[in-house]
Amino acid sequence: MICFSKKRFFVWGLHLLILFGAVVPISGQNSDQILSEKAGKPSRSKHAKALNQLAESVRYSDPQQSLLYAQKALSEATSENAREEIALAQKNIGIAHFFQGNYDTALIAYTEALSLYEKLGNLQGVSSCLNNIGLILQEQGNYDQALEKYQKSLEIDSKLQDEKAASSTIVNIVSILIYKNEFTQAIKQLQTALEMDLRTNNQQGIFEKQITLGNIHSRQGNYKEAISCYEKALLKSKKINDRYNVALCLANLGTAHWELKSFVKAEKYLLDAVDSSAEINAVEPLANALLSLAKITTHRNDFTKSNDLLLQALKIYEDLGDTRNESLALLAIGNNLLLQREPLKAGEYFIKSSNLASQIGTQTELLECYSHLAKAYAATAQFEKFDSIMELHNTLLSSLIVKSDTTTTANFHFEENASNSNQTKPNWLLISAVFIFGLASLYFIGKSKV
């Protein structure tokens, strides 16, 4: 016995409306003419509305099909100057392009939609476009500009008392706070957004908050907790056929298992993420999976395959303008070169990586760049440069320790450990210097045996 959901009937009904019109054609008349006569207004605007609804219904499961529906909606709406549907079609086109990694094209569509919504006085549309533009700026590492867009969007949402829209914007702000290691504020904002989702029964928003909480755990090194969040989000995204977030969760799970040295599980999740991403042309999850797969192949000393995977990921990040992940890919390539005892070439990649990390202000990534660059300078006996980079490294490390924000996720699971947070901290500067000197010494010892 086959069961059909109301949503599926609705989608199929829209398909029939677009393919055949609302009624059976009469001799000498086409369906557009009949719709026009019966409705007393242009039928193409109705077609545009139906197409926009279709574009939204398959947005997460099939971004390419969503794009085709939205483009057809734009054509139909434009022919009748149906401005609300034109604006919505442009926004839907932007969203479809965003999911496929075409950020520049998405930005053009969002800007067109924003301009039209402003002329129409449609504040909800304005807020949505500002949020979407902010997300592109965020993905490209322009965090301050993104926050400006988000703040404007939130002001409108507050005025409209639109909690569902506000929740979506807040979670984007949380992502930036995570990159900046401002976890207390991130958790506070995330809780606010989750409460909004619960009040509005926004199931999509609820499981996306689980992904974000997983990202916080992962950023803090709590990988088991991160895995728990990602697994829950994966189940929910599969249940509603959200294929984009399925790919994203698979990639995140693979990366978290890699960090726990569960290499078999990590590889399985990551290969599944590659397949899932390729099916819907979701390039960001694809690149993330390739980056982590490269680390597994490095662990196996298969540097040729690892470098190939890293170059693929790097190309995607460069095309996206994703500065943060571009920096991480360059760092990984440099690390491979260092392991292959090519410290001069490795240093070049570490410098490029550190420049990008410094540009967008992601201090954790920058600290890792300095650490690797110091190893490269030590391995090539460039001791003045080694001293200089170590000074930068230790200064940054000291500042991160001073403003260390590590009690946020503990509030969820480890409140009993909060009393230990004020204990004397170890001398991280000394430990860091000894560690890097030790690695350099091992390098020279290994080299002398060759």
Side-chain angles (χ1 to χ4, degrees), residues 25-40:
I26 300 173
S27 178
Q29 292 181 302
N30 60 35
S31 58
D32 285 344
Q33 289 173 323
I34 294 170
L35 278 171
S36 180
E37 290 174 4
K38 284 188 171 291

Side-chain angles (χ1 to χ4, degrees), residues 160-208:
L160 297 176
Q161 297 183 334
D162 188 342
E163 289 195 324
K164 185 176 180 180
S167 171
S168 175
T169 303
I170 290 171
V171 80
N172 291 336
I173 294 173
V174 169
S175 295
I176 295 178
L177 294 172
I178 293 171
Y179 294 147
K180 293 186 174 184
N181 295 339
E182 297 177 12
F183 299 118
T184 298
Q185 187 62 24
I187 287 291
K188 182 179 178 181
Q189 297 263 27
L190 189 62
Q191 288 173 329
T192 298
L194 181 57
E195 289 168 4
M196 291 179 175
D197 288 335
L198 292 171
R199 283 195 295 268
T200 58
N201 194 30
N202 180 9
Q203 294 300 313
Q204 179 86 29
I206 290 171
F207 87 76
E208 286 178 352

Side-chain angles (χ1 to χ4, degrees), residues 189-237:
Q189 297 263 27
L190 189 62
Q191 288 173 329
T192 298
L194 181 57
E195 289 168 4
M196 291 179 175
D197 288 335
L198 292 171
R199 283 195 295 268
T200 58
N201 194 30
N202 180 9
Q203 294 300 313
Q204 179 86 29
I206 290 171
F207 87 76
E208 286 178 352
K209 304 304 180 296
Q210 288 181 320
I211 296 175
T212 304
L213 181 58
N215 293 341
I216 293 175
H217 281 303
S218 181
R219 187 78 171 179
Q220 293 187 310
N222 303 320
Y223 298 112
K224 290 183 179 180
E225 291 83 355
I227 286 170
S228 177
C229 291
Y230 295 145
E231 285 177 340
K232 292 174 183 176
L234 178 61
L235 288 174
K236 291 184 179 179
S237 57

Side-chain angles (χ1 to χ4, degrees), residues 23 56 60 84 102 134 139 146 162 173 257 275 313 324 326 337 353 374 405 421 424:
V23 295
E56 292 169 357
Y60 297 102
E84 284 284 354
N102 304 319
E139 291 295 322
D162 188 342
I173 294 173
H257 278 291
D275 291 340
R324 176 178 169 273
E326 184 182 343
L337 290 168
S353 179
D405 187 358
S421 62
T424 303

Side-chain angles (χ1 to χ4, degrees), residues 173-440:
I173 294 173
V174 169
S175 295
I176 295 178
L177 294 172
I178 293 171
Y179 294 147
K180 293 186 174 184
N181 295 339
E182 297 177 12
F183 299 118
T184 298
Q185 187 62 24
I187 287 291
K188 182 179 178 181
Q189 297 263 27
L190 189 62
Q191 288 173 329
T192 298
L194 181 57
E195 289 168 4
M196 291 179 175
D197 288 335
L198 292 171
R199 283 195 295 268
T200 58
N201 194 30
N202 180 9
Q203 294 300 313
Q204 179 86 29
I206 290 171
F207 87 76
E208 286 178 352
K209 304 304 180 296
Q210 288 181 320
I211 296 175
T212 304
L213 181 58
N215 293 341
I216 293 175
H217 281 303
S218 181
R219 187 78 171 179
Q220 293 187 310
N222 303 320
Y223 298 112
K224 290 183 179 180
E225 291 83 355
I227 286 170
S228 177
C229 291
Y230 295 145
E231 285 177 340
K232 292 174 183 176
L234 178 61
L235 288 174
K236 291 184 179 179
S237 57
K238 284 182 176 179
K239 186 175 181 180
I240 65 171
N241 197 28
D242 183 342
R243 296 168 72 192
Y244 183 87
N245 277 312
V246 165
L248 192 63
C249 288
L250 288 169
N252 290 348
L253 280 165
T255 301
H257 278 291
W258 150 255
E259 294 288 354
L260 292 175
K261 303 189 184 306
S262 302
F263 301 124
V264 175
K265 284 185 178 180
E267 186 171 33
K268 183 182 184 304
Y269 277 121
L270 292 170
L271 290 173
D272 287 346
V274 169
D275 291 340
S276 296
S277 300
E279 287 174 1
I280 58 172
N281 195 31
V283 293
E284 184 183 7
L286 173 62
N288 294 345
L290 292 173
L291 183 60
S292 293
L293 277 172
K295 294 178 182 179
I296 293 177
T297 54
T298 294
H299 177 73
R300 295 170 178 164
N301 293 322
D302 188 349
F303 296 111
T304 300
K305 183 176 181 180
S306 178
N307 287 333
D308 178 60
L309 293 169
L310 287 172
L311 289 173
Q312 290 182 56
L314 178 61
K315 178 64 167 60
I316 293 173
Y317 292 137
E318 287 175 340
D319 290 344
L320 293 175
D322 187 340
T323 307
R324 176 178 169 273
N325 280 315
E326 184 182 343
S327 171
L328 293 176
L330 288 167
L331 180 66
I333 293 171
N335 185 56
N336 277 359
L337 290 168
L338 193 61
L339 291 171
Q340 292 176 281
R341 301 194 177 184
E342 297 186 52
L344 283 174
K345 287 184 180 179
E348 294 175 4
Y349 280 94
F350 294 149
I351 290 171
K352 291 178 182 177
S353 179
S354 63
N355 287 340
L356 291 175
S358 178
Q359 174 186 320
I360 61 176
T362 50
Q363 295 182 323
T364 300
E365 286 80 0
L366 183 58
L367 186 69
E368 191 173 0
C369 290
Y370 286 159
S371 177
H372 282 74
L373 188 54
K375 298 173 193 175
Y377 286 148
T380 53
Q382 299 182 70
F383 296 116
E384 287 187 7
K385 290 184 176 180
F386 173 85
D387 290 340
S388 177
I389 207 68
M390 278 304 301
E391 185 177 352
L392 290 173
H393 175 276
N394 292 339
T395 300
L396 178 56
L397 178 62
S398 180
S399 70
L400 287 175
I401 292 173
V402 168
K403 66 176 185 179
S404 180
D405 187 358
T406 59
T407 61
T408 52
T409 55
N411 290 336
F412 282 87
H413 302 291
F414 306 105
E415 288 184 326
E416 66 273 17
N417 294 331
S419 60
N420 297 326
S421 62
N422 293 323
Q423 291 181 358
T424 303
K425 297 183 177 67
N427 190 334
W428 291 109
L429 303 185
L430 179 60
I431 292 172
S432 176
V434 171
F435 175 70
I436 292 175
F437 272 119
L439 286 174

Side-chain angles (χ1 to χ4, degrees), residues 62-76:
D62 193 342
Q64 180 57 32
Q65 186 59 55
S66 179
L67 176 61
L68 295 176
Y69 285 139
Q71 289 172 333
K72 179 64 175 174
L74 179 62
S75 175
E76 294 289 275

